[in-house]
Amino acid sequence: MLRDPWAEIEDDLRDIRRKAEEKLAVEHLDIPLETPPEGLGDICFPAFQYSQALEASPEDCAERIVSAMDTGEYFSKHEAARGYVNSFIDWGKLTPQVVESILSLGPEFGGLEPKDERILLEHTSVNPTGPIHIGRSRNSIIGDTLARVLRRAGYDVTTEFLVNDTGRQMVVLTWATQNISEDELPKARRDKDDHLIVRYYQKAYEILESDTTLEKTIEDLVLRLDRGEEKIARDVKAVAEKVMEGMVSTLKEIGVTLDSYFWESSTILDGSVHEVIESLKRSENAHSDAGAYYLDLESSGIHGWDARFFFTRKDGTSLYTTRDIAYHLGKFKRCDIAINVLGEDQKLGMKQLTLALDMMGVEKRPETVFYAFVSLPTGKMSTRSGTTVLLDDLIDESRARAAEEVKKRRPELSPERIESIANIVGTGAVRYNILRVQPEKKIVFKWEEALNFDGNTAPFIQYSHARACSILRKAPDRTGKDYGLLAHPAEIRLVNTLSRFPAVIRNCAGSLRVHSLASYAYDLSSDFNQFYRDCGVIRAEPELRDARGALVECTKIVLVSSLDTMGIQAPEEM
RNA sequence: GGACGCGUGGCCUAGUCUGGAUAUGGCACCAGCCUCCUAAGCUGGCUGUCGGGGGUUCAAAUCCCCCCGCGUCCGCCA
């Protein structure tokens, strides 16, 4: 059983290389393994670095190493070319092992050995002031996918949403719902609490621009809330809960669910933020300016207009990052590894949090995945001014587009079936479109790109899956007797890619970067589509047909697993 | 002024950590492929000073330095 075929292959090659090094009496060099260009082999490494030890040209080095290498467990031969050592896998031997492993492990293929560590993964944590826009959804999609990757990698993962129910923004919103009447507001685009309530928020900020007395009212309310006045805290929480309900239902549409919600106000109510403040005040870097306390971070390498990190207001109440420190101390007690998914605007805040932990003598640190903002061709998105593309709208448009495509291709399907497929395809496209880009790249959202279902998209991958299902419905046998028959270049290429899936999960989990999972799923689909063209299944001779049927089954299994790990469903037909 | 990130064909993007073979794919565009398992597919073509300049190296998209452009932050907001 090969749980992680590619790891076995790499270990084998490293082993063979080490023996060759010993034979040639050269010092061991851990040269990274690479993939050679098409046709030159399956796995390779450059031999340039041996030229000093062997006193030879790179070409000669490669020759001499190759001649000292044996075939090991999984290789048929090694070749020297232009200073590289190119190794060829013995597919006749490996293919049956890979196919049998995937068939017997099924959805477990790509799952790594269970780990002891508990992970607390914070993501989304968007302020409950209105509906989620596509920029914020990047957080949820990356976070939810990362949780799925880490679970598959064997960790015990709990996801958590930090709900902001304190501070000025929420006070403004709460005041607005109590003091602005419905008829002053534009009609809501949807009958959904987050859409209904955001209008009050936007109206309040409009009023605040000219009304200075309201400013005073708000300041007073913020103060009272921060001191823990119960009535206000209850009102804020009630509004937050309503908006949260709307946001949570939107997230559920794209397959994002969270295990836990942590209300920020609880750090004030349970006294934990007070303890943080007292502890920070004892630091030698703590100073006071007119009663407000701050840490001087100039000596810690923070420079700029102001290197002071204020952790209390002049009235002694806490500030956001102070509460976040309290929250993190609590998290550390509940897990072994704390991971955050945050917008890149939070970088300084996390740096300040880290330095504050230093000064408090706390050893643990959160690991953070930062992502860049999504903007529109017209500029930034802003909930306050309403210049956003809402996730609800994107989901609707994407589903509608998908329904149109299904109707065009499969007019015989029932309306219910069409709707069901369009739902899966539309929401899958939304997730994949965000997921495929590495997180630090800013995204300029364009409708025509978001609604494109060709090429490197979720529908492409889902379509490959539907094709595989279609073959399997018609192929009588999904297990063959002789997988050695799978020797066509397109078959070998497909087996090669299938064998790497566990390694992809391992790499994504290790780096906390999930975009390469999207590339993998695309590559697998692409390989399958070439196999589909070149290797007929149901019309092949019985033995070959059964072996190919098994390969299709393997592809289906891994496509489903990789899509599932991205939170994308796989339709049986489309 | 300071900090961090990004810059790869007309547009989008992989590779950058860990330097190595003619830089990965997609969209768009052009030309082909459905009497044959779903053409949301496949094949071929067209597009490249890897932002610019210097340096290190046998070898730089990748490492170092300087510069330019874009994004984000530098609040007793969250």
Side-chain angles (χ1 to χ4, degrees):
Chain A
M1 180 82 68
L2 295 176
R3 291 194 164 269
D4 190 342
W6 204 253
E8 303 279 341
I9 289 161
E10 292 195 335
D11 285 348
D12 192 28
L13 183 57
R14 286 198 193 93
D15 202 44
I16 295 165
R17 183 170 67 184
R18 188 180 271 278
K19 282 179 190 150
E21 287 169 338
E22 281 164 16
K23 212 182 282 180
L24 295 170
V26 295
E27 204 182 332
H28 170 63
L29 296 173
D30 196 22
I31 301 169
L33 302 177
E34 303 170 26
T35 303
E38 190 75 48
L40 293 179
D42 299 303
I43 185 164
C44 67
F45 61 90
F48 305 85
Q49 289 175 46
Y50 291 104
S51 53
Q52 225 171 4
L54 290 172
E55 294 177 341
S57 69
E59 287 77 7
D60 292 342
C61 286
E63 297 282 0
R64 289 176 60 185
I65 289 165
V66 163
S67 60
M69 286 168 74
D70 59 45
T71 54
E73 182 74 25
Y74 295 112
F75 294 92
S76 58
K77 62 172 174 173
H78 312 283
E79 281 179 358
R82 305 184 62 183
Y84 279 82
V85 173
N86 296 322
S87 298
F88 292 75
I89 291 171
D90 182 354
W91 291 106
K93 187 172 178 185
L94 188 69
T95 295
Q97 293 189 49
V98 171
V99 171
E100 278 160 20
S101 295
I102 296 171
L103 290 179
S104 72
L105 289 166
E108 300 300 313
F109 180 70
L112 309 181
E113 67 285 358
K115 315 286 192 294
D116 287 332
E117 290 131 311
R118 291 165 306 162
I119 292 177
L120 183 55
L121 173 56
E122 180 197 334
H123 71 77
T124 305
S125 300
V126 39
N127 289 341
T129 53
I132 292 182
H133 64 65
I134 54 170
R136 289 306 187 181
S137 77
R138 191 173 192 184
N139 191 318
S140 309
I141 293 167
I142 291 172
D144 182 70
T145 304
L146 187 54
R148 290 165 186 265
V149 165
L150 292 168
R151 284 186 182 122
R152 193 168 264 282
Y155 292 96
D156 176 6
V157 181
T158 302
T159 54
E160 188 160 276
F161 185 129
L162 170 62
V163 188
N164 167 25
D165 60 338
T166 65
R168 187 187 149 87
Q169 277 184 70
M170 290 309 295
V171 165
V172 169
L173 177 63
T174 307
W175 175 88
T177 57
Q178 293 168 340
N179 294 279
I180 295 172
S181 78
E182 170 75 34
D183 44 86
E184 293 177 64
L185 302 171
K187 197 167 158 9
R189 304 243 304 280
R190 279 160 204 265
D191 186 25
K192 197 158 162 283
D193 282 329
D194 47 348
H195 290 256
L196 293 166
I197 292 173
V198 73
R199 298 173 304 154
Y200 292 90
Y201 183 70
Q202 290 161 342
K203 182 71 181 177
Y205 272 98
E206 198 184 305
I207 296 170
L208 271 168
E209 273 175 26
S210 52
D211 186 338
T212 49
T213 61
L214 175 55
E215 188 62 54
K216 288 260 185 292
T217 308
I218 297 294
E219 275 171 30
D220 177 56
L221 285 168
V222 169
L223 208 72
R224 285 160 62 194
L225 174 64
D226 285 343
R227 284 176 181 156
E229 200 173 302
E230 248 182 71
K231 162 91 171 71
I232 299 170
R234 250 198 334 267
D235 291 350
V236 168
K237 188 160 179 173
V239 176
E241 273 172 345
K242 278 189 132 179
V243 178
M244 284 294 291
E245 222 173 282
M247 295 193 309
V248 166
S249 79
T250 301
L251 290 173
K252 203 174 167 202
E253 297 289 314
I254 55 167
V256 177
T257 53
L258 287 114
D259 300 318
S260 161
Y261 296 85
F262 184 92
W263 295 79
E264 194 184 320
S265 59
S266 68
T267 62
I268 298 172
L269 300 174
D270 69 8
S272 60
V273 77
H274 178 73
E275 286 172 33
V276 169
I277 290 170
E278 291 310 308
S279 171
L280 286 175
K281 278 183 182 171
R282 287 194 292 271
S283 162
E284 56 184 15
N285 298 297
H287 306 280
S288 159
D289 180 356
Y293 282 86
Y294 65 90
L295 296 174
D296 186 347
L297 301 180
E298 189 74 44
S299 60
S300 307
I302 302 282
H303 307 287
W305 304 114
D306 192 351
R308 294 179 300 173
F309 160 45
F310 278 88
F311 59 93
T312 76
R313 295 199 181 88
K314 65 173 177 256
D315 61 12
T317 57
S318 65
L319 289 154
Y320 170 74
T321 302
T322 321
R323 294 191 291 274
D324 204 22
I325 293 165
Y327 174 46
H328 275 82
L329 294 177
K331 278 192 199 177
F332 294 153
K333 290 181 189 150
R334 292 188 282 140
C335 69
D336 303 300
I337 302 170
I339 299 174
N340 302 324
V341 179
L342 298 172
E344 64 177 348
D345 57 333
Q346 305 290 316
K347 279 186 181 174
L348 180 62
M350 285 311 287
K351 182 76 182 159
Q352 290 169 334
L353 180 143
T354 302
L355 292 170
L357 291 175
D358 273 342
M359 292 171 188
M360 293 170 73
V362 176
E363 298 280 324
K364 282 200 172 184
R365 295 287 175 272
E367 293 183 54
T368 307
V369 176
F370 292 104
Y371 64 92
F373 288 168
V374 180
S375 61
L376 300 174
T378 48
K380 290 184 197 184
M381 287 193 280
S382 156
T383 295
R384 279 181 206 178
S385 51
T387 53
T388 53
V389 172
L390 300 179
L391 183 55
D392 284 321
D393 294 337
L394 174 59
I395 293 168
D396 280 0
E397 290 295 329
S398 190
R399 279 179 177 155
R401 171 74 212 287
E404 216 177 280
E405 296 295 320
V406 181
K407 265 181 226 162
K408 201 159 73 192
R409 289 157 227 268
R410 306 293 302 280
E412 78 280 9
L413 294 178
S414 71
E416 294 75 32
R417 190 76 193 119
I418 290 174
E419 194 192 328
S420 157
I421 294 168
N423 177 27
I424 292 171
V425 171
T427 54
V430 169
R431 279 188 75 126
Y432 189 89
N433 193 39
I434 295 287
L435 216 51
R436 49 179 259 265
V437 183
Q438 56 168 296
E440 46 279 315
K441 286 213 180 190
K442 51 197 175 233
I443 294 178
V444 178
F445 177 85
K446 297 189 187 88
W447 279 103
E448 66 270 27
E449 281 173 16
L451 299 181
N452 171 37
F453 294 167
D454 296 326
N456 189 4
T457 64
F460 175 95
I461 300 161
Q462 291 169 320
Y463 180 70
S464 305
H465 172 263
R467 278 178 144 184
C469 290
S470 175
I471 293 173
L472 293 172
R473 277 193 295 272
K474 291 167 185 169
D477 204 335
R478 298 184 184 195
T479 55
K481 292 193 176 58
D482 185 4
Y483 300 125
L485 294 171
L486 300 171
H488 188 282
E491 291 168 333
I492 289 171
R493 196 187 170 91
L494 186 53
V495 171
N496 186 326
T497 302
L498 287 169
S499 73
R500 296 173 194 252
F501 180 55
V504 171
I505 295 295
R506 191 156 28 84
N507 292 335
C508 288
S511 60
L512 305 182
R513 296 167 73 76
V514 294
H515 65 284
S516 51
L517 179 57
S519 307
Y520 174 79
Y522 174 77
D523 290 342
L524 179 58
S525 302
S526 184
D527 290 343
F528 177 71
N529 284 330
Q530 286 162 46
F531 160 83
Y532 185 93
R533 178 201 59 199
D534 293 338
C535 306
V537 178
I538 59 179
R539 59 174 175 269
E541 294 300 312
E543 287 195 1
L544 182 58
R545 179 196 62 204
D546 293 349
R548 284 181 174 169
L551 182 55
V552 174
E553 176 71 14
C554 289
T555 307
K556 182 193 166 180
I557 288 167
V558 178
L559 280 176
V560 169
S561 291
S562 42
L563 284 169
D564 178 65
T565 311
M566 293 189 283
I568 298 170
Q569 290 173 272
E572 298 267 321
E573 58 178 345
M574 61 188 276

